[in-house]
Amino acid sequence: MFTDEYYMKMALQEAEIALEKDEVPIGCVIVSNNRIIARAHNLTETLNDVTAHAEMQAITSAAHFLGGKYLINCTLYVTLEPCVMCSGALSWSQISKVVIGARDEQRGFINKNLSLHPKTEIVSGVMENECSTIVKEFFKSKR
Ligand SMILES: [Zn+2]
């Protein structure tokens, strides 16, 4: 049950909540000991805040839950590759693992030659089609 696909589905559910709010549909969850300790979706329009990316909110909420700023033994599941801002925050958090759904060639951190914390394991391409389709369809509907 506790597979990468299982948690990515939970992240996708968050993306769907964002979609219902007419936000760019990106969602994430943070998992510790097989338990979801934070879930968030993009809220930049709702909050009028360019920093309200799903990952930023989830990092804050997971740290509150754990009572410490470092997300040791935690895994982030995010539907779209984190941007430069979020990769910076993830790096500061020293999170153990980041699982990415779809790549973001333009705005993602990987093509910018940035890396996360040296201890952070990165996995990419989990439920890639579902994760990229929801964002592509959103932008198509905006044209
Ligand atoms: Zn971001």
Side-chain angles (χ1 to χ4, degrees):
M1 173 175 174
F2 300 123
T3 61
D4 283 349
E5 282 76 18
Y6 172 79
Y7 291 116
M8 191 56 80
K9 263 182 211 151
M10 300 295 125
L12 258 173
Q13 282 181 8
E14 286 295 314
E16 276 156 19
I17 299 171
L19 188 63
E20 283 164 21
K21 297 175 181 171
D22 210 27
E23 296 274 2
V24 178
I26 300 164
C28 71
V29 296
I30 293 179
V31 175
S32 170
N33 295 319
N34 292 329
R35 182 169 165 207
I36 294 175
I37 61 165
R39 50 177 84 225
H41 51 270
N42 178 41
L43 281 175
T44 50
E45 299 298 327
T46 307
L47 299 179
N48 271 325
D49 181 355
V50 293
T51 71
H53 287 184
E55 302 95 309
M56 302 294 279
Q57 300 173 65
I59 290 166
T60 303
S61 132
H64 277 294
F65 179 89
L66 295 170
K69 61 184 172 179
Y70 295 126
L71 305 183
I72 309 294
N73 296 321
C74 290
T75 302
L76 170 82
Y77 292 85
V78 62
T79 57
L80 193 69
E81 180 186 335
C83 71
V84 171
M85 170 180 71
C86 294
S87 73
L90 287 166
S91 177
W92 286 117
S93 80
Q94 301 189 12
I95 193 160
S96 304
K97 189 175 170 187
V98 171
V99 181
I100 297 165
R103 290 284 309 277
D104 184 350
E105 304 285 340
Q106 268 110 48
R107 299 194 137 194
F109 73 97
I110 295 172
N111 281 359
K112 313 274 186 208
N113 288 319
L114 294 170
S115 50
L116 302 179
H117 190 272
K119 284 180 192 155
T120 307
E121 182 191 344
I122 301 172
V123 177
S124 180
V126 175
M127 296 183 66
E128 192 170 4
N129 284 340
E130 292 89 338
C131 292
S132 79
T133 302
I134 190 170
V135 174
K136 278 185 193 147
E137 292 294 317
F138 175 79
F139 285 113
K140 218 187 268 175
S141 74
K142 291 287 162 194
R143 268 187 234 127

